[in-house]
């Protein structure tokens, strides 16, 4: 299992070192909501390229070892392929996701922790986007709870549409964990709706009392910041995806030509 892998131990130590080197002041709240035993899904909001550090360390603070669900294309990078293999991460192929889905479901049935991002991609508005239904479907089929988690503040370090602020800066970060949700006979649509509501409440709890300087690019428009509102963020995301598809198609045609 992943927790026995020495590589995983090293990666966790490296994650702690990175957080320490940046001087981040991380506050963990509600960790008691993560069950001490048994299969569980931890569903995290996605606002930055580095929120995986805090979410994983939060789970580890409870004595459990999270298995991330990550983009399968990361395996194309040799070092990432090595880390994914030895840390028990599950690569998700968005076009052919059945294999990764069943691997995650089997892990849940063995009593493991699966950590995933049901928004699938970073939210440019830093508000909660619509959720994919995979977490709900796994929860129902494996009969395990889903724990909502919100990481807030890491978007100030490195995200889409913001100034990158890598280095030692002593920024505050909050990791808020909400009460677990049981499937309770819900269908995937209903459970996904409940999960989104719970993640939204958890995110609001994380934001309460958190600094929100007016006009800053990492602060949501709702709080007076300079981040794009959700409708504008969606437009930017759609343009980005369209550009990626065009590049892939051009590359395919070039290889065939």
């Amino acid at each position: 299992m992943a927790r026995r892998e020495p590589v995983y131990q090293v990666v966790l130590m490296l994650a702690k070192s990175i957080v320490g080197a940046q001087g981040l002041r991380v506050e963990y709240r509600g960790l008691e909501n993560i069950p001490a035993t048994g299969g569980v899904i931890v569903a995290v909001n996605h606002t930055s390229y580095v929120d995986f550090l805090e979410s994983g360390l939060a789970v580890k603070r409870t004595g459990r070892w999270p298995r991330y669900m990550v983009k399968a294309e990361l395996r194309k990078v040799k070092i990432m392929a090595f880390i994914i293999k030895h840390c028990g991460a599950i690569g998700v192929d968005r076009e052919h996701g059945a294999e990764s889905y069943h691997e995650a479901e089997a892990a849940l049935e063995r009593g493991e922790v699966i950590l995933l991002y049901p928004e699938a991609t970073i939210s440019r508005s830093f508000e909660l986007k619509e959720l994919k239904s995979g977490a709900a479907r796994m929860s129902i089929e494996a009969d395990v709870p889903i724990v909502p988690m919100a990481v807030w503040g890491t978007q100030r370090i490195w995200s889409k549409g913001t100034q990158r602020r890598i280095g030692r800066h002593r920024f505050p970060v909050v990791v808020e964990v909400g009460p677990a949700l049981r499937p309770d006979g819900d269908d995937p649509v209903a459970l996904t709706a409940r999960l989104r509501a719970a993640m939204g409440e958890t995110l609001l709890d994380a934001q309460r009392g958190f600094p929100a300087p007016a006009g800053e690019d990492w602060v949501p428009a709702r709080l007076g910041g300079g981040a794009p509102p959700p409708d504008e963020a969606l437009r930017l995301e759609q343009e980005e995806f369209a550009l990626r598809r065009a590049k892939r198609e051009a590359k395919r045609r070039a290889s065939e030509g």
Side-chain angles (χ1 to χ4, degrees), residues 165-177:
R165 302 172 178 92
I166 303 294
R168 187 169 180 82
H169 35 55
R170 293 187 54 78
F171 291 154
V173 172
V174 170
V175 180
E176 186 85 34
V177 185

Side-chain angles (χ1 to χ4, degrees), residues 198-219:
M199 290 181 68
E201 286 298 319
T202 304
L203 180 57
L204 289 176
D205 287 341
Q207 292 171 337
R208 288 191 180 95
F210 199 93
E216 289 288 335
D217 58 9
W218 59 272
V219 178

Side-chain angles (χ1 to χ4, degrees), residues 48-250:
S48 81
Y49 292 109
V50 294
D51 47 24
F52 71 95
L53 293 171
E54 284 72 18
S55 59
L57 290 174
V59 174
K60 184 61 182 67
R61 287 173 75 92
T62 71
R64 307 203 64 181
W65 295 74
R67 294 187 65 181
Y68 289 88
M69 297 194 76
V70 300
K71 297 177 185 178
E73 52 261 40
L74 289 176
R75 290 173 175 164
K76 296 177 182 178
V77 181
K78 287 186 178 181
I79 183 62
M80 289 306 300
F82 180 81
I83 290 173
I84 288 170
K85 177 182 177 181
H86 291 280
C87 292
I90 300 171
V92 180
D93 186 328
R94 290 175 184 168
E95 294 182 0
H96 308 285
E99 183 177 345
S100 56
Y101 177 89
H102 292 308
E103 183 180 354
E105 188 177 0
L108 290 168
E109 291 172 349
R110 290 194 299 269
E112 298 187 55
V113 180
I114 295 295
L115 191 153
L116 51 75
Y117 296 88
E119 295 170 278
T121 57
I122 288 175
S123 170
R124 289 175 178 268
S125 69
F126 310 126
E127 304 283 13
L128 196 65
K129 301 195 306 181
E130 293 301 317
L131 308 186
K132 306 297 183 182
S133 64
R137 289 187 288 114
M138 283 191 288
S139 171
I140 292 167
E141 293 181 21
D143 192 26
V144 299
I146 309 177
V147 173
M149 177 185 290
V151 178
W152 190 246
T154 56
Q155 75 274 17
R156 188 177 183 180
I157 302 168
W158 186 14
S159 188
K160 291 185 177 181
T162 64
Q163 176 187 348
R164 192 180 305 181
R165 302 172 178 92
I166 303 294
R168 187 169 180 82
H169 35 55
R170 293 187 54 78
F171 291 154
V173 172
V174 170
V175 180
E176 186 85 34
V177 185
L181 304 177
R182 293 291 317 183
D184 292 338
D186 280 339
D187 61 32
V189 173
L191 184 54
T192 299
R194 279 210 293 140
L195 175 60
R196 189 174 188 279
M199 290 181 68
E201 286 298 319
T202 304
L203 180 57
L204 289 176
D205 287 341
Q207 292 171 337
R208 288 191 180 95
F210 199 93
E216 289 288 335
D217 58 9
W218 59 272
V219 178
R222 170 177 54 85
L223 299 177
D231 56 348
E232 175 67 8
L234 177 60
R235 184 187 66 78
L236 292 170
E237 183 178 86
Q238 290 172 339
E239 289 180 354
E240 178 186 356
F241 289 165
L243 182 60
R244 287 182 186 176
R245 286 194 297 270
K247 287 182 177 179
R248 286 197 298 268
E249 180 63 17

